[in-house]
């Protein structure tokens, strides 16, 4: 979803001014995203191998609703996943927004009912030197697991149509019985090419590592996709 929000800004501004507030100029927007990932990694956990992750997001004012999915290209159909987002953003000042929402997780091919609901609250802000940052707290009310994640990102306009996005994240997951508590962090870089006001193909690479009970696991994976947006 972070990728979709970033590319929504790219589509809405045609890469001229990523910091502009497009919501005040638009009644609504619809953004679809069609990425291929060599590995699906979620919060430092390797979920499945090569997958496609189509999604669609509708926004109007500060309100948004979206559906994201992971469809594995291997025989591991248990990793089929649909995430349903609903939330609202409020501007606190010229540089900071408050985001409150919830995610519903649905796994249609799972052998047992593993569907969960996860409310969240977050702050997004513009920092010095062109950096953007966010801090989010999630709590899965079904399995009683809390997650805190911090993100930093920076966009470089290499040409009029080509942008380089660099990002880093750090998070911690707290399980009720503390046995499964762990931390994770990662880095990513992607090139986004603005074909026109509505179409942005992109490709990138990401690195993620997690540490559970002093045992680390690393992942390196790449993404290729295209975002198509409609701004009205």
């Amino acid at each position: 979803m972070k990728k979709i929000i970033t590319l929504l800004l790219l589509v809405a501004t045609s890469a001229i001014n990523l910091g502009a507030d497009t919501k005040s100029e638009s009644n609504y927007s619809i953004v679809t995203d069609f990425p291929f990932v060599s590995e699906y990694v979620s919060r430092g956990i390797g979920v499945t191998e090569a997958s496609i992750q189509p999604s669609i997001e509708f926004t109007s004012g500060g309100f948004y609703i979206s559906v994201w999915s992971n469809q594995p290209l291997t025989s591991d159909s248990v990793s089929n996943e649909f995430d349903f987002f609903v939330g609202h953003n409020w501007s606190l000042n010229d540089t900071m927004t408050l985001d409150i929402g919830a995610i519903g997780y649905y796994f249609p091919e799972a052998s047992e009912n593993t569907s969960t609901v996860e409310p969240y609250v977050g702050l997004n802000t513009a920092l010095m030197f062109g950096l953007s940052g966010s801090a989010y707290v999630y709590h899965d009310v079904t399995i009683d697991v809390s997650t805190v994640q911090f993100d930093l990102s920076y966009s470089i306009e290499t040409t009029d149509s080509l942008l380089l996005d660099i990002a880093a994240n750090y998070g911690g997951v707290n399980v009720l019985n503390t046995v499964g508590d762990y931390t994770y962090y990662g880095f990513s870089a992607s090139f986004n090419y603005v074909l026109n006001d509505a179409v942005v193909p992109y490709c990138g690479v990401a690195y993620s590592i997690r540490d559970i009970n002093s045992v680390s696991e690393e992942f390196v994976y790449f993404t290729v996709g295209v975002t198509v947006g409609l701004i009205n």
Side-chain angles (χ1 to χ4, degrees):
M1 285 303 299
K2 297 294 183 185
K3 182 68 178 179
I4 299 173
I5 294 171
T6 300
L7 289 171
L8 171 60
L9 292 175
L10 290 172
V11 170
T13 62
S14 301
I16 296 174
N17 183 1
L18 290 177
D21 182 3
T22 61
K23 291 181 180 178
S24 62
E25 301 172 0
S26 305
N27 294 322
Y28 68 86
S29 65
I30 299 174
V31 176
T32 56
D33 196 28
F34 305 95
F36 163 83
V37 295
S38 61
E39 188 158 9
Y40 171 27
V41 179
S42 177
R43 296 175 182 171
I45 301 294
V47 181
T48 190
E49 296 181 351
S51 302
I52 57 173
Q53 297 181 332
S55 63
I56 183 169
E57 180 176 56
F58 170 86
T59 63
S60 179
F63 172 79
Y64 61 88
I65 185 170
S66 63
V67 181
W68 176 94
S69 67
N70 183 79
Q71 303 300 319
L73 300 178
T74 66
S75 59
D76 185 14
S77 61
V78 174
S79 295
N80 288 354
E81 178 182 344
F82 290 89
D83 298 350
F84 303 90
F85 293 75
V86 61
H88 198 285
N89 290 295
W90 290 269
S91 294
L92 301 181
N93 53 44
D94 292 341
T95 61
M96 184 176 295
T97 60
L98 172 67
D99 183 15
I100 298 177
I103 311 170
Y105 299 93
Y106 175 56
F107 304 90
E109 303 297 330
S111 58
E112 58 185 43
N113 183 15
T114 56
S115 300
T116 64
V117 176
E118 186 179 63
Y120 59 85
V121 59
L123 289 174
N124 298 274
T125 185
L127 302 171
M128 62 181 64
F129 309 118
L131 287 168
S132 297
S134 67
Y136 274 77
V137 178
Y138 306 83
H139 182 74
D140 193 312
V141 297
T142 306
I143 58 177
D144 203 10
V145 171
S146 297
T147 302
V148 178
Q149 180 168 314
F150 303 93
D151 291 86
L152 281 176
S153 62
Y154 185 73
S155 291
I156 303 170
E157 187 175 348
T158 59
T159 69
D160 289 344
S161 299
L162 184 65
L163 292 99
L164 171 62
D165 287 343
I166 302 171
N169 67 70
Y170 177 85
V173 177
N174 178 258
V175 182
L176 179 63
N177 60 15
T178 72
V179 173
D181 291 359
Y182 71 93
T183 58
Y184 61 92
Y185 63 89
F187 307 93
S188 65
S190 66
F191 283 100
N192 309 281
Y193 185 76
V194 182
L195 285 178
N196 52 48
D197 290 353
V199 181
V200 182
Y202 58 88
C203 64
V205 62
Y207 168 81
S208 181
I209 183 171
R210 74 163 191 264
D211 187 348
I212 301 179
N213 296 326
S214 300
V215 177
S216 299
E217 187 171 7
E218 299 175 296
F219 304 91
V220 177
Y221 54 99
F222 66 88
T223 303
V224 178
V226 60
T227 297
V228 180
L230 169 65
I231 309 295
N232 183 39

